[in-house]
Amino acid sequence: MRTRQASTKTICCGAWLLLSQSLLSGAAEKPYMVEEALSYNELDYVSVGLDQQTVTLVCTNRRKQFLLDSADASLTEFFLMSLKSAMIKGCREPPYPSILTDATMEKLALAKFVAQESKRETSEVTVRFYGLVHWEDPLDETLGPAPPHPTAAENCVMKEGILNYKVGTNYLGKELWKPCFVVLSNGILYQYPDRTDVTPLLSVNMGGEQCGGCRRSNTSDRLHSFQVILTDRPSLELSAENEEEMADWMQYLCQAVSKGVIPPGVAPTPCIPCCLVLTDQKVFTCHEDCQTHFFRSLATAELAEVASVSVEASPGEYCILEFAQDRQHFLPPWALYFSCPAELERFLSALDTRWRSAYQVDLPHKLIEDGSVRKKCEDAL
């Protein structure tokens, strides 16, 4: 599973989850580092996300929440069963925390997003599949044969604009905020007092050791605020004008972090963690803010544009969606990577069913026979 307190399904860290006397815990002599720990008695309820792709542990102190990305329905079921078993065996006295499985707010937000993107009424759209995947962006500059030494251009994420940053608090405890000009270039975040200034107040290498990621702020009363987590000083707290602008900035910052955290000698990958959504008419890749359920589209394809799907000979964890070439706009293939063969099969089943229902024929399936393509996909896993 992946665990985090960040708010966007964009970047997160792999983690071992240990169910012992406390829910997230470990011992000093074990070969891992404890990132967070909570006792079973702190747990108020458990919320299961759409199609069992996530689990949120909500504490009695509602500000303390943990989002676990399983990206696997069977893994989610196993975790919930193990959690219940641990509490029954004496880790907590009854009553036990409720487990909410309806994902009502997430379903409503997703339906609204799909309706807007499809230019239809909410009542006219049906979501056939939702899952957390890695999507190989076909327009990413790093696609193609990997160069022997990654260049700075490969890590280039460009964005700039006016944001507000938290200066501190006054003697009454009220937060003080000031405007600043922020630039994200080549994986480095620069904060300037003004657009005309040439000397930054702060510069942060988003993929370096000084940055611990980006998350929505849960400590500020200011709307649309988020944090750039710094390891050597207090976090940089920023706020945007609206929810959409905040989500856009967080997307760029998280992408800069993910492209920067690359082992020495390994070329960056164009794979983007995201949500994959299938409806009766379209296929989407998108990002979702896990607190507000605000969706941001990455790419969209019409179901009618899908020409075939390529898969491995044996049960695998990836597939390649290929699109018809006689369309008005050329659409490169999508490589989609799943957490396990069962999740890939769940998607293919939904896609095949929808295709057969719409066109009365089976969607063509092809084997990936090109060795270079197969190796590239396996390396991406």
Side-chain angles (χ1 to χ4, degrees):
M1 277 195 173
R2 297 172 185 270
T3 176
R4 55 198 160 91
Q5 286 180 292
S7 62
T8 54
K9 288 178 185 170
T10 303
I11 183 170
C12 47
C13 299
W16 288 100
L17 215 62
L18 178 64
L19 296 177
S20 64
Q21 296 305 313
S22 60
L23 187 57
L24 302 177
S25 66
E29 68 273 10
K30 299 294 182 181
Y32 47 76
M33 181 180 69
V34 177
E35 184 150 324
E36 295 286 349
L38 65 105
S39 71
Y40 289 93
N41 290 328
E42 289 182 81
L43 198 55
D44 187 23
Y45 66 90
V46 178
S47 178
V48 181
L50 193 59
D51 282 359
Q52 297 181 299
Q53 296 294 289
T54 64
V55 176
T56 303
L57 306 175
V58 182
C59 300
T60 49
N61 174 5
R62 295 302 172 85
R63 285 186 176 274
K64 193 173 181 181
Q65 300 184 12
F66 296 89
L67 175 66
L68 311 176
D69 286 350
S70 68
D72 179 351
S74 60
L75 179 57
T76 295
E77 291 176 359
F78 176 76
F79 170 74
L80 294 175
M81 180 180 67
S82 301
L83 177 62
K84 182 178 180 180
S85 175
M87 289 189 289
I88 290 174
K89 288 179 179 178
C91 290
R92 171 168 168 165
E93 295 294 325
Y96 301 125
S98 300
I99 298 179
L100 310 180
T101 59
D102 54 358
T104 302
M105 296 304 295
E106 193 173 7
K107 286 179 182 176
L108 292 174
L110 180 58
K112 182 179 178 181
F113 163 75
V114 168
Q116 289 174 340
E117 293 292 316
S118 305
K119 295 180 173 56
R120 295 171 178 266
E121 295 296 324
T122 305
S123 59
E124 298 176 334
V125 298
T126 303
V127 174
R128 302 296 180 178
F129 175 89
Y130 169 90
L132 301 184
V133 302
H134 280 75
W135 168 65
E136 189 166 317
D137 184 354
L139 302 180
D140 195 291
E141 294 178 1
T142 62
L143 273 177
H149 301 288
T151 61
E154 290 170 335
N155 286 330
C156 180
V157 180
M158 193 63 187
K159 186 172 177 62
E160 61 180 37
I162 300 293
L163 295 172
N164 289 291
Y165 73 102
K166 184 178 175 181
V167 182
T169 56
N170 63 16
Y171 68 97
L172 295 175
K174 183 179 179 180
E175 296 178 351
L176 301 176
W177 294 78
K178 285 185 178 180
C180 63
F181 183 65
V182 180
V183 176
L184 178 63
S185 177
N186 290 322
I188 299 178
L189 182 70
Y190 300 93
Q191 179 196 6
Y192 295 92
D194 191 78
R195 185 186 294 268
T196 57
D197 286 292
V198 294
T199 304
L201 296 170
L202 177 70
S203 63
V204 180
N205 182 352
M206 297 299 293
E209 294 182 355
Q210 69 178 129
C211 180
C214 176
R215 66 185 177 195
R216 187 184 183 94
S217 177
N218 58 7
T219 59
S220 174
D221 295 329
R222 190 179 181 91
L223 294 176
H224 321 306
S225 62
F226 56 99
Q227 297 176 333
V228 177
I229 305 166
L230 305 177
T231 57
D232 58 350
R233 57 188 296 174
S235 298
L236 172 63
E237 296 201 44
L238 300 167
S239 72
E241 190 172 325
N242 53 53
E243 196 74 16
E244 185 172 358
E245 183 186 7
M246 182 199 71
D248 196 45
W249 266 105
M250 290 187 65
Q251 156 62 21
Y252 273 91
L253 293 171
C254 289
Q255 188 177 7
V257 173
S258 64
K259 284 180 177 262
V261 184
I262 302 168
V266 177
T269 172
C271 293
I272 299 174
C274 63
C275 309
L276 177 65
V277 180
L278 172 68
T279 69
D280 288 341
Q281 298 83 23
K282 294 178 181 287
V283 185
F284 301 91
T285 56
C286 52
H287 278 138
E288 176 188 0
D289 184 302
C290 299
Q291 291 181 336
T292 65
H293 300 303
F294 173 82
F295 285 86
R296 178 179 182 273
S297 179
L298 294 174
T300 306
E302 297 287 340
L303 185 67
E305 293 177 329
V306 179
S308 63
V309 58
S310 296
V311 296
E312 294 180 271
S314 58
E317 299 177 6
Y318 66 89
C319 69
I320 299 176
L321 278 188
E322 298 179 349
F323 301 96
Q325 300 304 308
D326 56 352
R327 297 288 165 180
Q328 185 176 1
H329 302 290
F330 170 72
L331 190 58
W334 289 4
L336 301 169
Y337 302 90
F338 296 80
S339 62
C340 63
E343 284 295 305
L344 170 59
E345 182 56 37
R346 189 170 71 88
F347 170 69
L348 293 178
S349 176
L351 180 62
D352 288 340
T353 300
R354 183 58 208 141
W355 180 273
R356 194 179 303 112
S357 174
Y359 307 112
Q360 310 307 311
V361 294
D362 291 333
L363 174 67
H365 282 226
K366 300 189 297 185
L367 291 179
I368 301 174
E369 297 179 345
D370 188 323
S372 62
V373 173
R374 204 162 50 237
K375 183 179 186 306
K376 182 181 177 183
C377 291
E378 289 170 357
D379 288 345
L381 287 172

